[in-house]
Amino acid sequence: MSSRSNILAAVLANQPDNSPLPDVSIFNDLYTSEDAVERFIATAMGIGSSVHRVAGIDEINKVISERFTHGPVVSNLSGINNALAVDDDNYHAADVELSVFKVRLAVAENGALWLTEEDIQKRVLPFICQHLALVVNAANIVGSMHQAYERIGNARYNYGTFISGPSKTADIEQSLVLGAHGPRSLTVFIID
Amino acid sequence: MKQSTMDHAARANDFNRDEERVNWHDETLWWIRQKRDLSVNRLPEWEELREAASQIKHNALSNLHGYLQAFEANAIANGVKVHWAANADEHNRIVHNILKSHGINRMVKSKSMLTEECHLNDYLAENGIEVIDSDLGERIVQLANEPPSHIVLPCIHKKKGEIGDLFHRHLGSAEGETDPQVLTETARQHLREVFLTRKAALTGVNFAVAETGEFVVCTNEGNADMGAHLADVHIAAMGIEKIIPLRKHLSIFLRLLTRSATGQPITTYSSHFKTPAAGKEMHVILVDNGRSTQLGREDFRNSLKCIRCGACMNTCPVYRRSGGHSYHSAIAGPIGSILAPNLDMKQHADLPFASTLCGSCSNVCPVKIDIHDQLYKWRQVIVKEGYAPEAKKLMMKGMALTLSSPAFYRFAGKAGRTVMRLAPFAAGNKLNPWYNQRDMPEAPAQSFAEWYKKNRL
Ligand code: SF4
């Protein structure tokens, strides 16, 4: 017999009687979306992101041009100054200074933003860039992870990730260092 | 990796030779436990979340046969290649064969306690394949030729001076450099080169969703994603107990995992892998290695609910003061002491005794595993099967005699108190391991029974 059938047979023989799933919808309404933007900002800043509330692309460009001057900028948003389109062939992912992505969902309770392959096209881009900027509409910030998965529902994505701050490590004597392997900073722009 | 036959107590003794290090280890882990408390106390629904997580895991275990097949069918439909491994050896051979079929002899690996359990790195090294661990803490212990000492904080037993020395020798940092910022930057540059040049990447799996065939990998560093996205072949290794039924259940587990582990509200990255990227290959290996046996042990089944947050280690007074290596098993601490005897009862007979049974582990466990009860139950099994550690056997015989005879109990108590008053060195000597690194308290002049007789109204 193959390992597959051996394992499945052993599991079937040893698994206990069915025990029902709990109702997890009780968690869905614990957090209102009213103060979600404020809570998102407080949490995101607490874990090392910088957050800007902006009216539109001009303000985003202003912040970017002040802070990121070194190398190629790649974006899925039109209107970012000097940015290459994600599918442009004229850059190496490893050289990217800043990636800017518009995303469709963010979570107040943990400062995380949801990116899918559809948003970023190349999976490695939000990880390999030196700095990352994410843009989200205020209306797309939900209160909790329960509400986030409610929004995601049974959407089809090939790959999706929650990102909640700059890449970090505390493996050396528990001293927090930003910029482990991924971006050294995360800037979040909230469009009101 | 270093292997020896010393038991937990002897290894703990070793760890305790460096008092400064033990104190630092103890206090640092307790500090992490306190960060967990702060984070947890912010959620009024915490207890309901734990209960829901525990029930979801129970449902998953009670329908594992069906969920595993659903996961497999969905993953295959997503374009993922699914493998089944009955044990560590088969798991290692599957990884090796995938690499061989692509002519790959260098691989980058993010954190996977399962591959530690299977000793994958040693196996691949023997077969001429180089593996580089990309989690900073794991890279540090790999350079030191040691196993991780903690499932979330692999090099928590190391001081920055030692790490600086390792990096100076292996990665060319300046001699005497101990600044964590500088050392992390050194590792970043070194591992970036590795990520960009490796054609195969192995990752662990935190959760695998039966409903969709996707799996989720959580890191703070971004190393799992860097490796997986830059490689042509991504291999994900998971124990069969990592299955959860529905995608929406991820909300419960992602809320619990990192708050329990470090006090963060979520890891920096929680990546959901569903299909291979265009032109690339993705493999999932479903590993049993004793899990189906544990599923059949009613008393110990709950241990399969573990989501590897490490909270039970951070809170454990024994773990904090004995260090992860004292458990001589891939997974240390209270949960490791329940999992290890399932794999090899004789070799790990000492571990369920490495606990005070204070119950702190069970209180913090985000999936409500009855950890300390299971440790207690393992003790009975181990004694019954004749695997009890020698010293415990002698002690238990002595206890049985003392407790079965009230007269002897009174005599022994009196004798003990007299000895402690007149000759404390008789208890506090080398023959009594409890006394190592401890001072004995002063003995009271009378027993409680004597006091009660005199003072009762
Ligand atoms: S047993 Fe519970 S507390 Fe310990 S690592 Fe597993 S989930 Fe965390």
Side-chain angles (χ1 to χ4, degrees):
Chain A
M1 278 217 296
S2 69
S3 288
R4 179 184 185 279
S5 43
N6 282 333
I7 294 169
L8 284 173
V11 167
L12 184 62
N14 288 342
Q15 71 186 19
D17 293 341
N18 176 43
S19 145
L21 277 174
D23 174 16
V24 294
S25 69
I26 56 165
F27 298 107
N28 289 6
D29 300 324
L30 291 180
Y31 297 87
T32 62
S33 46
E34 261 167 46
D35 57 346
V37 175
E38 282 70 31
R39 284 196 297 124
F40 176 90
I41 294 171
T43 313
M45 292 182 45
I47 52 185
S49 305
S50 53
V51 185
H52 303 264
R53 288 187 86 152
V54 296
I57 201 95
D58 291 343
E59 285 178 61
I60 297 177
N61 273 323
K62 191 162 168 285
V63 173
I64 289 178
S65 63
E66 279 163 13
R67 286 193 41 207
F68 306 102
T69 50
H70 287 304
V73 177
V74 169
S75 182
N76 70 347
L77 255 182
S78 54
I80 300 289
N81 290 344
N82 304 320
L84 299 165
V86 172
D87 54 5
D88 195 307
D89 288 333
N90 292 313
Y91 70 91
H92 286 297
D95 299 332
V96 172
E97 168 78 0
L98 174 71
S99 299
V100 185
F101 293 113
K102 179 85 193 274
V103 304
R104 288 169 289 177
L105 179 62
V107 189
E109 71 158 301
N110 54 23
L113 299 103
W114 173 245
L115 295 74
T116 65
E117 189 174 56
E118 220 181 304
D119 302 319
I120 58 177
Q121 293 187 45
K122 295 178 185 167
R123 295 182 189 182
V124 78
L125 275 179
F127 298 92
I128 201 168
C129 51
Q130 297 294 328
H131 301 275
L132 178 63
L134 299 173
V135 183
V136 65
N137 290 340
N140 288 335
I141 301 179
V142 299
S144 70
M145 290 299 279
H146 310 290
Q147 292 158 341
Y149 279 99
E150 232 185 355
R151 283 264 187 122
I152 293 170
N154 50 16
R156 287 172 171 270
Y157 49 75
N158 294 331
Y159 166 81
T161 186
F162 281 106
I163 297 185
S164 71
S167 151
K168 57 164 86 74
T169 181
D171 275 340
I172 302 175
E173 282 196 13
Q174 287 301 296
S175 316
L176 180 66
V177 179
L178 303 184
H181 304 293
R184 300 173 190 273
S185 72
L186 172 63
T187 310
V188 182
F189 295 101
I190 300 174
I191 302 183
D192 282 304
Chain B
M1 299 290 131
K2 284 175 200 160
Q3 281 289 349
S4 88
T5 52
M6 274 159 68
D7 72 356
H8 177 271
R11 285 160 194 260
N13 210 7
D14 244 9
F15 187 69
N16 274 269
R17 273 187 233 288
D18 184 345
E19 192 172 334
E20 219 176 293
R21 184 194 303 261
V22 181
N23 290 343
W24 184 85
H25 190 262
D26 180 18
E27 285 157 20
T28 304
L29 289 164
W30 185 249
W31 174 67
I32 296 169
R33 155 79 210 254
Q34 287 173 317
K35 288 203 295 180
R36 172 241 174 236
D37 291 350
L38 278 176
S39 179
V40 162
N41 291 340
R42 278 195 206 114
L43 298 191
E45 69 274 30
W46 183 255
E47 286 308 315
E48 286 79 22
L49 279 173
R50 288 176 77 211
E51 184 57 36
S54 185
Q55 288 181 20
I56 293 168
K57 282 284 186 180
H58 210 93
N59 171 273
L61 293 176
S62 69
N63 294 281
L64 195 55
H65 181 255
Y67 288 146
L68 279 168
Q69 292 175 86
F71 174 79
E72 177 191 40
N74 288 321
I76 291 172
N78 294 338
V80 176
K81 298 190 159 112
V82 179
H83 310 259
W84 298 74
N87 50 40
D89 187 51
E90 190 173 10
H91 162 265
N92 294 345
R93 277 187 280 118
I94 290 169
V95 175
H96 186 209
N97 284 337
I98 296 170
L99 298 175
K100 257 201 309 209
S101 72
H102 289 274
I104 293 172
N105 59 10
R106 300 189 304 174
M107 180 171 80
V108 64
K109 175 161 87 67
S110 70
K111 203 188 281 160
S112 151
M113 290 317 297
L114 176 62
T115 59
E116 294 293 334
E117 175 186 320
C118 295
H119 301 288
L120 175 70
N121 287 15
D122 293 342
Y123 177 90
L124 290 179
E126 281 160 27
N127 286 280
I129 290 174
E130 174 216 73
V131 179
I132 290 190
D133 287 323
S134 60
D135 172 87
L136 177 60
E138 290 216 314
R139 186 67 185 127
I140 290 166
V141 290
Q142 187 180 34
L143 290 174
N145 197 25
E146 291 172 15
S149 68
H150 186 294
I151 59 180
V152 175
L153 321 160
C155 69
I156 190 68
H157 62 289
K158 283 248 176 290
K159 303 294 300 200
K160 61 187 177 193
E162 298 168 285
I163 297 168
D165 285 347
L166 281 169
F167 279 23
H168 171 61
R169 264 187 286 133
H170 295 278
L171 307 180
S173 60
E175 192 165 7
E177 181 61 67
T178 60
D179 181 349
Q181 185 87 39
V182 176
L183 295 175
T184 302
E185 184 64 29
T186 304
R188 177 182 170 99
Q189 301 303 338
H190 153 66
L191 286 162
R192 192 156 262 252
E193 176 61 26
V194 172
F195 289 128
L196 286 165
T197 50
R198 298 309 188 263
K199 295 198 160 48
L202 189 143
T203 68
V205 169
N206 290 89
F207 309 100
V209 182
E211 176 190 30
T212 58
E214 73 200 290
F215 59 89
V216 175
V217 184
C218 304
T219 72
N220 277 324
E221 298 181 7
N223 56 314
D225 284 276
M226 282 288 272
H229 303 323
L230 287 167
D232 298 331
V233 182
H234 173 191
I235 305 170
M238 60 176 273
I240 54 173
E241 83 284 17
K242 289 282 183 279
I243 298 265
I244 61 170
L246 303 174
R247 182 190 273 171
K248 70 176 176 192
H249 292 149
L250 288 167
S251 63
I252 309 270
F253 292 105
L254 292 178
R255 294 190 80 196
L256 289 165
L257 176 64
T258 321
R259 286 184 172 95
S260 299
T262 60
Q264 294 169 257
I266 190 171
T267 44
T268 307
Y269 305 104
S270 308
S271 295
H272 301 46
F273 293 86
K274 191 148 165 258
T275 72
K280 299 194 172 186
E281 229 173 82
M282 194 185 278
H283 298 259
V284 170
I285 310 177
L286 294 163
V287 184
D288 182 343
N289 205 37
R291 287 162 178 76
S292 61
T293 311
Q294 190 86 320
L295 186 64
R297 297 184 202 266
E298 201 183 334
D299 283 344
F300 306 110
R301 174 180 295 148
N302 276 342
S303 62
L304 295 171
K305 295 180 177 178
C306 174
I307 58 172
R308 305 284 191 267
C309 72
C312 57
M313 305 177 183
N314 304 341
T315 201
C316 177
V318 176
Y319 175 89
R320 283 188 277 119
R321 294 184 186 84
S322 61
H325 289 157
S326 64
Y327 293 79
H328 56 91
S329 164
I331 297 179
I335 183 66
S337 302
I338 303 173
L339 296 172
N342 176 55
L343 286 173
D344 185 338
M345 205 182 299
K346 184 158 183 250
Q347 201 192 332
H348 301 298
D350 55 324
L351 294 187
F353 294 90
S355 165
T356 63
L357 302 183
C358 70
S360 183
C361 45
S362 307
N363 287 335
V364 295
C365 177
V367 288
K368 293 181 90 165
I369 301 173
D370 49 339
I371 306 172
H372 73 294
D373 287 336
Q374 293 192 37
L375 288 167
Y376 182 67
K377 286 174 187 160
W378 264 127
R379 293 182 185 183
Q380 336 273 311
V381 175
I382 284 164
V383 170
K384 215 183 271 163
E385 305 270 329
Y387 293 132
E390 277 310 315
K392 303 281 177 206
K393 267 194 244 169
L394 266 177
M395 203 173 71
M396 278 184 290
K397 270 187 203 141
M399 284 299 276
L401 172 66
T402 314
L403 295 177
S404 63
S405 151
F408 191 73
Y409 177 85
R410 278 192 299 274
F411 165 76
K414 207 169 221 138
R417 283 186 298 280
T418 307
V419 168
M420 285 304 292
R421 264 202 322 276
L422 304 179
F425 51 85
N429 64 25
K430 274 209 256 12
L431 297 174
N432 180 356
W434 179 250
Y435 188 66
N436 295 337
Q437 293 87 33
R438 287 185 188 89
D439 297 319
M440 293 302 264
E442 224 170 87
Q446 49 183 197
S447 75
F448 174 73
E450 287 163 346
W451 176 88
Y452 186 71
K453 222 188 255 170
K454 233 182 264 163
N455 289 280
R456 75 176 157 187
L457 297 175

